[in-house]
Amino acid sequence: MSTLSSQQLIDSAKSFGTPLYVYHAEKIGAQYDRLKNAFAGADVRFFYAAKALTNINILRYVRSTGCSIDCSSINEVKLALLAGFEPTQILYTSNNILFEEIMEAKEIGVHINIDSLSNLRKFGNAFAGTYPVGVRLRPNIMAGGNLKISTGHAESKFGVPLEDMEELLQVQKETGLHIRTLHIHTGSEIKDVEVFAKGVEVLLDVVNYFPTVEVIDLGGGFKVPYMPGEEGTDIEKLGTVLKQEFNSFEEKTGRHLQVWFEPGKFLVSEAGTFIVRVSVLKKAGDTWFAGVDSGLNHLIRPMFYGSYHHIENISNPDGPTRIYHVVGNICETDNFAENRPLPEIREGDLLAFQNAGAYCFEMSSYYNSRFRPAEILFENGEPRLIRKRDQLEDLLQNQVIGR
Ligand code: LLP
């Protein structure tokens, strides 16, 4: 649930208008502290998966906590540099990209995880062992909140399949490639600690083929609670389990490995709230529709993944409970919630969507030529605008208008 008060959210809507994304910096900091504490004593590094939310002010705040950053495109790498990250704090985990983009990342000097034999071979041919890289493996583990966000299973496009191990070793041998990192990212919203432990097992099973590997990168994917009462990944248990696994590996083999993680949702999901205003209340048959000043153009997760976002009626929290479909204003079905019990909704009420920090604004679009929302950040109790609401000029910005 939001760590900001309803009054703070209501005041923000008054000052900045709706629809509005509101973030809470200290919540991001608290999540990072939780991770650090859970892994205290271990040789571990955390790289914020920037794809979840790339506003430069968020990136700067993340940097100020001491966390490093994981990027999924060369543009995210450039944003990370603009936010003040050093190349050594930047990891670029690519998939299916042109080799030119890998070259560009190398020029900048960031850590690079490569996810295909084709690009690994090109890299090895070009640079042999002069620039250490990571290899993304496909561990063939099915896990994650839904199929779209499951990335490590045996039919997934991501990574070098374990079945291709021989060919990978061949590339290593033939080109002299210096493989420093073995990487997996199994999926998003993985609750079970056992899934992460299984991933570690898979990697530790093959690491002896790679004498130059110093880092095991386990990607992101920690689950956070979305529904009231729901539990997320038990990070503290995960810390204990993984520390044991890596310590016993070190005792057995005499080999020390550093562990990396790339959390996105864990750091920013709960730090975000999306505020919308109810524009139209409509009764059709037995169904009450609460139509709001937003839609799948601003928050697509419910429609795209069937994701649950908890909604609060912050204008009428003590109203009698009624059942609503909360719907958007886009020209196709964009239901945020169906048959959702909520305190009585009136036209003009403000609704607050929880868990709006990760993959929400970030996946927004200009569909129906509507403006994308403004974003604000609370830090030290003070809200500040970190993205202006779009205007008509923004819709036209890159269009060649001509005559
Ligand atoms: N590392 C890699 C290589 C990834 O592909 C991802 C997410 C992460 C780390 C961070 O995963 P997280 O900790 O946030 O679960 N748009 C979807 C989520 C897609 C995740 C894509 N990759 C959603 O809204 O649920």
Side-chain angles (χ1 to χ4, degrees):
M1 298 306 102
S2 176
T3 42
L4 296 167
S5 71
S6 294
Q7 199 53 51
Q8 282 173 309
L9 298 176
I10 290 168
D11 292 345
S12 301
K14 215 175 271 166
S15 311
F16 299 96
T18 60
L20 182 70
Y21 276 100
V22 184
Y23 309 117
H24 189 192
E26 283 81 3
K27 175 64 180 168
I28 300 174
Q31 290 294 96
Y32 181 55
D33 286 344
R34 206 183 138 197
L35 277 182
K36 277 195 306 191
N37 291 336
F39 286 87
D43 188 7
V44 63
R45 276 182 81 178
F46 300 101
F47 295 76
Y48 164 55
K51 71 193 84 185
L53 181 61
T54 53
N55 186 293
I56 191 102
N57 297 271
I58 299 291
L59 302 188
R60 282 201 200 110
Y61 180 80
V62 169
R63 188 180 72 86
S64 77
T65 67
C67 190
S68 297
I69 190 162
D70 174 50
C71 300
S72 60
S73 71
I74 196 72
N75 293 339
E76 283 185 2
V77 170
K78 290 174 186 172
L79 289 177
L81 291 172
L82 278 175
F85 287 91
E86 296 294 331
T88 52
Q89 295 176 297
I90 302 175
L91 171 62
Y92 179 20
T93 302
S94 60
N95 90 88
N96 293 325
I97 58 167
L98 285 174
F99 187 63
E100 284 74 5
E101 209 173 300
I102 295 181
M103 296 275 279
E104 209 179 332
K106 184 205 165 256
E107 279 311 302
I108 297 171
V110 302
H111 306 283
I112 307 172
N113 286 329
I114 300 180
D115 94 320
S116 67
L117 286 172
S118 156
N119 274 335
L120 282 165
R121 188 172 283 113
K122 286 180 201 157
F123 199 91
N125 284 336
F127 307 111
T130 59
Y131 194 96
V133 289
V135 175
R136 180 171 184 168
L137 292 171
R138 193 186 73 188
N140 299 341
I141 297 173
M142 176 59 99
N146 63 66
L147 193 58
K148 284 201 182 82
I149 57 176
S150 300
T151 47
H153 59 85
E155 278 163 30
S156 156
K157 69 166 182 173
F158 294 97
V160 177
L162 282 179
E163 306 84 278
D164 292 349
M165 186 55 66
E166 255 178 50
E167 210 177 328
L168 173 60
L169 294 174
Q170 199 62 28
V171 171
Q172 181 182 235
K173 198 164 144 207
E174 279 170 19
T175 63
L177 193 65
H178 180 154
I179 299 177
R180 181 170 57 196
T181 303
L182 292 185
H183 170 275
I184 54 171
H185 170 73
T186 311
S188 193
E189 296 183 24
I190 301 172
K191 181 164 177 294
D192 284 350
V193 167
E194 290 70 32
V195 172
F196 292 95
K198 175 82 190 135
V200 171
E201 196 183 297
V202 167
L203 293 178
L204 295 186
D205 257 4
V206 296
V207 74
N208 60 328
Y209 297 131
F210 302 93
T212 50
V213 163
E214 298 161 53
V215 177
I216 295 292
D217 179 349
L218 297 170
F222 306 141
K223 178 163 171 48
V224 291
Y226 275 81
M227 292 186 188
E230 196 184 16
E231 307 241 323
T233 311
D234 186 342
I235 295 294
E236 289 71 24
K237 181 173 165 202
L238 182 68
T240 309
V241 168
L242 293 201
K243 274 189 272 186
Q244 267 166 10
E245 294 226 17
F246 281 94
N247 285 342
S248 81
F249 176 82
E250 192 164 341
E251 272 166 31
K252 263 191 262 156
T253 62
R255 190 165 171 194
H256 178 75
L257 295 168
Q258 190 173 67
V259 180
W260 290 3
F261 284 107
E262 304 157 2
K265 280 180 186 158
F266 187 84
L267 289 177
V268 298
S269 175
E270 293 163 281
T273 308
F274 184 44
I275 311 176
V276 300
R277 190 176 288 283
V278 178
S279 28
V280 170
L281 207 58
K282 185 190 282 185
K283 188 158 191 282
D286 289 337
T287 305
W288 275 104
F289 289 97
V292 303
D293 61 354
S294 180
L296 64 81
N297 51 333
H298 297 157
L299 172 53
I300 201 172
R301 300 190 73 256
M303 306 84 190
F304 198 46
Y305 307 112
S307 302
Y308 179 96
H309 281 264
H310 195 62
I311 302 174
E312 284 172 15
N313 182 352
I314 52 177
S315 300
N316 191 25
D318 300 320
T321 304
R322 308 228 189 288
I323 306 294
Y324 296 93
H325 282 16
V326 179
V327 298
N329 58 9
I330 288 296
C331 64
E332 55 182 283
T333 302
D334 58 350
N335 296 357
F336 288 112
E338 286 167 12
N339 297 318
R340 182 75 62 91
L342 280 164
E344 183 175 22
I345 295 178
R346 300 140 327 167
E347 289 187 356
D349 279 358
L350 294 172
L351 305 185
F353 288 69
Q354 307 298 324
N355 287 84
Y359 308 105
C360 292
F361 181 89
E362 204 59 29
M363 294 177 76
S364 65
S365 73
Y366 281 138
Y367 191 38
N368 278 199
S369 295
R370 291 201 171 274
F371 302 144
R372 287 178 306 164
E375 293 177 289
I376 66 170
L377 177 65
F378 269 86
E379 197 174 351
N380 302 319
E382 289 299 319
R384 69 171 201 275
L385 188 66
I386 60 168
R387 179 190 295 267
K388 292 187 276 187
R389 190 175 303 288
D390 289 325
Q391 307 173 23
L392 198 61
E393 295 73 54
D394 296 305
L395 303 183
L396 292 166
Q397 200 181 30
N398 290 322
Q399 296 191 37
V400 179
I401 299 173
R403 287 178 294 132

